[in-house]
Amino acid sequence: MKTNPPSPGHDLAADMFPRVPADKLSRLAAVSDPTGFVNSGTVTEEARHQLNVDRLSVWLFPPDKTGLACAVCHPHSSLEHFVERRIRATDCPRFFEAVLAERVVGTVDAARDERTSEFSSSCSTSRPAVSMLVAKIGSAIEPIGIVCAETLEAKRSWSSGEIAFIVSIAELLGASIDRQTDLPFVAHGAHAKTDLMAPVHCASSSNERYDLAIKAAYDGVWDLDYKTGQVYFSDQNFDLLGESYDNPPTEFDWWQQRVHPEDIDGVRAYYQDLLQKDSPYDVTYRMRHKDGSWRWWRSRGMVIRNTHYEPVRIVGTNSDVTDLIETKLELEKRNQELLLAKRKVEHAALHDSLTDLPNRRFMELVSARKARGEPGGNRALSFLHIDLDNFKEVNDLLGHAAGDEVLCRVAECLKGLSVEGDFIARSGGDEFIAILQDESSAERSIRFSEQLIGKLEKPMFIEGRSITVGASVGIALSESPTNDASDLLRNADQALYKAKRAGKNTYKVYDHQMSLQAAYIRKTKEEIQFALEDGGSFVPFFQAQFYAGSLELAGAEALVRWHHPKRGILSPGEFLHYAEEMNCVAEIDRQVLLKSLATVNEWHETGLALPRLAVNVSSDRLADPSLLFSLENFEDNVPSLSFELIESTFLDDTSEQVKKTLSQLQDLGIEMEIDDFGSGYASIASLVNIRPKRLKIDKTLVSNVDTDMAMTSLVQSIIDIARTLEVEVIAEGAETPSQIKTLTAIGCDILQGYGLARPMSADVFYETFAQKQAPSGAGHGPRAVNGAVAQRP
């Protein structure tokens, strides 16, 4: 990956210290004398004002760095609070170690910070510093002192700008010291002439010390005579570029010819700002090395003006910062890589890995659109909640790979129907969300839904097989900009539920009536949950079954009823589909089974021996390992128990767990029945696979068995197949004497229906049949209700 270098004039120093605002630097320049030498007392006063601190002082080192002496302090009245206005390194070693090692020492709590606590207590009596900011003053050779800013009342957290400013103060003072014969502080602080400071002042001449500083410095020094154009370059400038000269060049062109062509304009612009505005000259750019490589340089400089404010000289330094720049570029590259990795992680968290559609961002999108206002004025916003029909069958029959391919194709179909400004997401499983720009009549959403349903009705060819899935769509239209996104999604959910209930492969637009229905459904589901936890609300009703011909009691089917605290006894049609949505049918089965067995047990002890009890059981219940355990307490009644398998979709491809459970149940003597045979679910293969004891012909086939010869023949054929497989036949839905007669004539073994007996509570069943039970060994048992055929109420 290519990394762009910093632009010409990039301030590398800002990586550590931000640039000092130009207005503050110009204030400092204004307090310099015409020769460029700093009036330290005025600078101190101005710096204290700019930093807004209670006290600002300048301290100087002797050559051996064994102490510090206060040269200037502002306000001057603060001097009375310094003990001897000088300290020794042995009095506060940790402070000396810190200021010599670090460019800046800043602390919020000077008394507690181990770097400053000794200094604070050593140099002050009644007014110790609360917060302290210290910057090191350096000459071209070595550190020569410190600038110290203090607050005396309140604690202060030092900002990056304040840190940069005090560093600039230190640099300004250091540059002035390098250019003067005597330190500038003497004139403003005669008290600083102590034995401790004496060695600093004994340099024989300023030129001698300046020459020594230039020779010792690592950076290259340059000094431009503005009037003549002649430039003094120290040897370090040439060394940095791998060059050497017996007669060093003094022309400005030597430097200018080596600047990178892409950087020269930026460097010149900084130079002009320095001359015209006294802007800081601190610029980073590329220079050509003798070996042909490009080295990064940092140039800094200042203008020395005469009494007419005309530039006389420009002095500065050049530094090779290639390593620092390359390190910075490498860090930027790594940061960019980390940023890209972060974006990938964020994308993965907010997008579906299969379809690459957003997964949870539709709420954020609606909120953002509402915040900035919908374009178009009369444009509305609609939510579409889309659920695929028959998708489970694709996964079950062809596997998840085929299911994934279907989801990807549906996603592409949704993208193809959308336009700019729409939003498509996969919310999970086989469900999708579409947010469309719509009209107030929901015309676009309806058209979108019709097109989607039409496209998905066409077969998809996957792995050589034709697959058809449908789609049910719930539409919720935003009627007002204040509509909450979560409300819209909930309304779309309710419309989707309505579409599913309407037969799937269709759409419904939300209306207020759906909210009322949704509230009813929510309440009903909550009540189902409470009823399950209570354990006593779901009870068995018993519908008697009779032997064909004799109409003697052959057994009973246990049917679930909900004993609702307010609505009374509810049939399965009023609650079972809600229970299926809650995935709690297996628990209802469990409770009804245990109560049914307990009731039959109680009947047996009190004189009613029921020949056989049939109980509905779901595939989920058969897959539950606890089913066998729950039957152990009813071992005496297990031989008279029959399970009706109502979840017929699994019969042709029964799972190993269900097969194992069926085998174990049959070993216990529990008989199996196939319910609703002939309704279009179960098949002859089911009879061979399960080997049931009996099958129950669905009541839709029985209803016309006595009037439609074709239906009579069909039922007769089912009975003949059952006879071949030695399977007994029960006909349910026998309601008229004619039906009962016909079913008996064509060979049904057992009859069940309203024409013989209605479902009854346990107490009513017992009262009805206990007194009619024949003495032991006298035939099959009691006959149908009223001795023949019970009339339907």
Side-chain angles (χ1 to χ4, degrees), residues 659-671:
K659 285 182 180 179
K660 180 179 179 181
T661 301
L662 289 175
S663 176
Q664 292 172 326
L665 291 172
Q666 289 171 332
D667 290 343
L668 287 176
I670 297 175
E671 299 170 346

Side-chain angles (χ1 to χ4, degrees), residues 9 105 139 251 288 342 353 382-383 440 453 509 528 535 596 658 689 739 757:
V105 175
S139 71
E251 300 297 329
R288 187 179 67 250
K342 180 183 177 183
S353 60
S382 60
F383 266 64
S440 58
I453 292 171
V509 180
I528 289 174
S596 300
V658 171
N689 192 22
Q739 290 172 348

Side-chain angles (χ1 to χ4, degrees), residues 325-515:
I325 287 287
E326 290 179 348
T327 300
K328 182 177 183 297
L329 292 175
E330 180 63 26
L331 288 175
E332 290 176 350
K333 177 182 176 182
R334 293 182 183 181
N335 287 338
Q336 185 67 20
E337 292 172 349
L338 289 174
L339 180 60
L340 292 175
K342 180 183 177 183
R343 288 176 179 171
K344 288 181 179 180
V345 171
E346 291 175 347
H347 182 88
L350 296 174
H351 287 72
D352 170 46
S353 60
L354 179 64
T355 64
D356 201 38
L357 291 174
N359 55 9
R360 296 193 301 268
R361 289 183 54 196
F362 50 89
M363 288 297 190
E364 300 175 17
L365 176 69
V366 174
S367 298
R369 287 185 173 183
K370 285 172 63 179
R372 65 176 178 262
E374 286 295 324
N378 63 338
R379 303 287 284 181
L381 195 67
S382 60
F383 266 64
L384 279 67
H385 194 171
I386 303 160
D387 184 80
L388 300 185
D389 300 327
N390 308 319
F391 181 74
K392 182 177 184 299
E393 286 76 2
V394 175
N395 272 338
D396 291 345
L397 295 176
L398 300 180
H400 290 287
D404 289 348
E405 179 63 23
V406 169
L407 292 174
C408 290
R409 294 195 186 185
V410 172
E412 290 302 316
C413 180
L414 289 169
K415 293 177 184 177
L417 293 173
S418 64
V419 298
E420 185 178 358
D422 293 341
F423 185 82
I424 308 295
R426 181 188 174 201
S427 57
D430 59 345
E431 298 183 16
F432 295 84
I433 296 292
I435 304 176
L436 309 181
Q437 297 184 65
D438 210 337
E439 306 295 338
S440 58
S441 61
E443 179 181 343
R444 169 130 193 275
S445 295
I446 292 173
R447 184 170 64 252
F448 185 97
S449 301
E450 290 173 342
Q451 291 174 335
L452 175 65
I453 292 171
K455 287 180 177 292
L456 295 185
E457 283 178 336
K458 299 177 182 179
M460 303 179 189
F461 292 93
I462 298 176
E463 297 180 357
R465 300 186 64 170
S466 174
I467 297 175
T468 302
V469 294
S472 298
V473 184
I475 302 172
L477 186 69
S478 173
E479 299 174 351
S480 167
T482 60
N483 285 145
D484 186 80
S486 59
D487 290 339
L488 288 171
L489 182 59
R490 182 166 53 250
N491 294 344
D493 287 342
Q494 294 171 11
L496 174 62
Y497 183 85
K498 190 76 171 179
K500 287 285 189 181
R501 299 287 295 168
K504 302 180 180 181
N505 211 36
T506 187
Y507 66 87
K508 292 292 180 183
V509 180
Y510 169 83
D511 58 38
H512 182 65
Q513 188 63 32
M514 292 181 185
S515 287

Side-chain angles (χ1 to χ4, degrees), residues 204 279 297 409 576 597:
S204 59
S279 297
W297 271 28
R409 294 195 186 185
L576 196 60
L597 291 174

Side-chain angles (χ1 to χ4, degrees), residues 220-261:
V221 176
W222 53 274
D223 190 335
L224 169 66
D225 187 319
Y226 189 76
K227 292 182 178 180
T228 66
Q230 295 294 301
V231 186
Y232 163 74
F233 293 106
S234 71
D235 291 342
Q236 286 86 343
N237 289 282
F238 311 126
D239 292 342
L240 293 176
L241 295 180
E243 300 179 9
S244 62
Y245 298 93
D246 293 331
N247 297 307
T250 59
E251 300 297 329
F252 196 69
D253 285 347
W254 174 86
W255 166 85
Q256 188 170 251
Q257 291 169 0
R258 284 158 178 76
V259 179
H260 196 289

